Amino acid sequence: MLPERLAYMANQIGLFFASQKQGSAVDGIEDHILKFWDPRMRRDLLAHLDEVKLDPPVLEAMRRLRDRAAA
């Protein structure tokens, strides 16, 4: 899947959680992507974090997932 499409999808998830407190939004985004995205989708988006436009809470959630995968 194209990185731009994955970024769009991730930002849409971020919009859903935008009404929550900042920490809660990031937690919700991270949890959703971890539970419902195919591992290949997560991997592909993580590989292009510097190339795509992600909203700040989404970027933080993806960084957490990257750190989790590296551990």
Side-chain angles (χ1 to χ4, degrees):
M1 190 172 281
L2 293 174
E4 295 81 12
R5 179 69 180 152
L6 293 170
Y8 173 80
M9 293 168 58
N11 283 329
Q12 290 297 110
I13 294 165
L15 286 175
F16 175 80
F17 288 102
S19 63
Q20 298 183 19
K21 295 179 188 172
Q22 180 65 20
S24 297
V26 174
D27 292 342
I29 297 163
E30 178 184 10
D31 186 57
H32 181 90
I33 290 175
L34 185 61
K35 286 182 179 177
F36 299 109
W37 278 33
D38 185 279
R40 293 171 293 184
M41 293 168 67
R42 291 192 305 267
R43 183 192 65 229
D44 289 352
L45 184 54
L46 288 171
H48 295 93
L49 279 185
D50 297 330
E51 302 166 22
V52 295
K53 173 69 173 116
L54 294 174
D55 296 332
V58 178
L59 181 58
E60 177 61 27
M62 292 308 298
R63 287 178 176 157
R64 287 185 187 181
L65 289 169
R66 179 189 60 201
D67 294 345
R68 181 187 293 211

